Amino acid sequence: MKIIVAEDDPVSAERLSSTLRTMGHQVQVFANGKDAFDSFMTNNARLIISDWMMPEMDGVEFCRNVRKAAKQDYVYFILVTGQRTAVADLDRAVQAGVDDFITKPLDSSSIFRRIFVAERILKFTVQIRQLSNLIPICMYCKNIRDDTDYWGSIEKFIHEHTGSDFSHGVCPDCFNKLTADDPEEQAQT
Amino acid sequence: MGIGSELPSGAFYGPSPPIHDVAPMPHPAPLDLHSSPALTHLNLAEKEVINAEVFGSLRAECPDLVEHLVTLFFEAAKPVVAHMKRIAVEGDATALFAGAHQLKGSASNFGADRFILVCEEIERISETGAPHATQQELVAAMVSELAAIEQALAS
């Protein structure tokens, strides 16, 4: 997996990237949030590990910008924090879109665990995207099952998901079937 | 100042100078940990220069990388500390905070507990305000602790 690391401390950057490469990942390292974000916009990295305080763009602003970019594939964002980070700051980070935290001092086992969970979540996001492209429809009555297991009409489903409405008419084939027993009605059209 | 405050760009965040431009750390005068008013409440004497457990974990996890990490640490730390000595005279709280924060994170990789405590104290007084003399005393403590780390790791 491609991973972007944004970390201005060379020791922490080296330690992180070394661990990630040992796990088999491709790692790009940047010393500030702006360069990391610029790279993110031009590549398909699915995981970002960012320090908090950095020059140019800090980690929380970096995350906020990643979420605003709203790429099709979900990007998992891990923020590296100090041990005594204030609760209010953690809340602010989560609200900005941060998914998880790694606390300094870094250690390989906690990095492994966080990446393991990130990979699992990213697999789920792919599955969700695939499933959302399949619509469960009854092959007999054409009712559609929604997220709450309710079977409703196709018109209702389309309207709820697209805002479109239907103007109801009768196609030629159905008209012919319906009026097969009434030649007079057929003759009128 | 909280974590989200504006930080100055420049001095700390440019590339580190080549190692031959960085003067070796002088042997520090013994740091009086018991009587310095800016330091007594930190109880530094009770802490290790290098936390054996943290450093031991680092060595166990990446034995081939430790020496390189130590080199990286001093290459980055020495110019930052030297700069902090200069700006402590001017009393630039924002820049002191930024420098201390950067070094604290780096030092945490090695378990440099006393150095980290001094960095945290510099962060605290940078936010709450403190006399220049206190800032300078703490930066002097940082210089001393950095030299102690160098001696500890060399042994």
Side-chain angles (χ1 to χ4, degrees):
Chain A
M1 178 167 55
K2 267 190 195 162
I3 301 178
I4 287 175
V5 169
E7 171 62 74
D8 61 329
D9 169 37
V11 177
S12 300
E14 179 67 26
R15 195 165 174 194
L16 255 178
S17 58
S18 173
T19 302
L20 295 170
R21 287 186 181 116
T22 302
M23 294 173 70
H25 299 294
Q26 292 174 268
V27 185
Q28 283 183 297
V29 183
F30 301 92
N32 68 73
K34 185 180 178 309
D35 289 349
F37 179 68
D38 289 345
S39 176
F40 163 74
M41 292 300 287
T42 61
N43 69 38
N44 57 350
R46 300 290 310 281
L47 174 59
I48 296 172
I49 303 176
S50 173
D51 190 22
W52 198 315
M53 291 179 81
M54 289 182 294
E56 306 285 349
M57 185 188 290
D58 71 22
V60 172
E61 192 190 345
F62 180 18
C63 183
R64 206 172 279 123
N65 290 333
V66 165
R67 295 301 177 221
K68 271 187 207 163
K71 289 189 177 181
Q72 189 181 23
D73 289 327
Y74 188 77
V75 177
Y76 199 85
F77 200 105
I78 299 176
L79 198 61
V80 181
T81 69
Q83 283 184 332
R84 287 185 260 279
T85 305
V87 169
D89 287 322
L90 295 174
D91 289 344
R92 188 166 59 88
V94 167
Q95 281 165 18
V98 169
D99 295 299
D100 200 358
F101 301 91
I102 293 178
T103 306
K104 286 180 177 175
L106 299 171
D107 74 272
S108 298
S109 59
S110 79
I111 295 169
F112 277 128
R113 280 194 293 273
R114 294 300 193 282
I115 301 305
F116 189 78
V117 169
E119 286 180 301
R120 187 168 65 206
I121 300 293
L122 286 172
K123 274 192 201 138
F124 287 152
T125 65
V126 170
Q127 286 173 359
I128 286 167
R129 191 161 59 81
Q130 286 169 345
L131 286 172
S132 69
N133 292 332
L134 290 174
I135 301 172
I137 188 168
C138 173
M139 54 193 282
Y140 296 100
C141 67
K142 308 303 177 195
N143 269 358
I144 291 179
R145 192 181 71 222
D146 66 14
D147 295 333
T148 63
D149 271 351
Y150 168 77
W151 289 91
S153 67
I154 190 168
E155 293 92 335
K156 187 168 181 287
F157 180 88
I158 298 283
H159 176 74
E160 282 173 353
H161 284 77
T162 69
S164 299
D165 288 316
F166 290 79
S167 63
H168 287 87
V170 183
C171 73
D173 287 345
C174 286
F175 179 79
N176 289 335
K177 284 182 201 162
L178 289 167
T179 57
D181 294 331
D182 191 345
E184 266 188 10
E185 183 149 4
Q186 270 199 353
Q188 277 172 8
T189 58
Chain B
M1 176 173 59
I3 284 179
S5 301
E6 285 288 321
L7 294 173
S9 60
F12 297 116
Y13 304 123
S16 294
I19 196 164
H20 59 268
D21 287 339
V22 177
M25 294 298 298
H27 282 292
L31 181 65
D32 188 346
L33 298 173
H34 300 288
S35 66
S36 169
L39 299 169
T40 45
H41 66 287
L42 299 180
N43 299 317
L44 291 178
E46 296 172 10
K47 303 287 181 195
E48 296 173 278
V49 174
I50 296 288
N51 183 305
E53 192 180 336
V54 172
F55 193 72
S57 293
L58 176 66
R59 286 176 87 128
E61 282 175 17
C62 42
D64 298 334
L65 200 56
V66 172
E67 197 175 324
H68 178 54
L69 292 178
V70 170
T71 302
L72 281 178
F73 173 66
F74 286 110
E75 278 181 4
K78 286 179 182 178
V80 172
V81 170
H83 184 71
M84 286 176 75
K85 279 172 69 176
R86 289 192 292 275
I87 60 176
V89 173
E90 298 158 18
D92 186 341
T94 304
L96 279 178
F97 182 99
H101 188 81
Q102 183 183 348
L103 293 172
K104 179 182 76 171
S106 196
S108 70
N109 287 288
F110 307 101
D113 286 352
R114 284 181 12 188
F115 184 83
I116 290 167
L117 269 180
V118 174
C119 289
E120 285 176 343
E121 185 65 6
I122 292 174
E123 286 181 316
R124 189 188 69 78
I125 62 150
S126 299
E127 290 187 307
T128 58
H132 289 189
T134 304
Q135 293 173 359
Q136 290 173 58
E137 200 173 336
L138 283 167
V139 173
M142 178 186 268
V143 171
S144 181
E145 289 302 328
L146 193 64
I149 294 170
E150 196 166 20
Q151 285 178 355
L153 293 179
S155 63

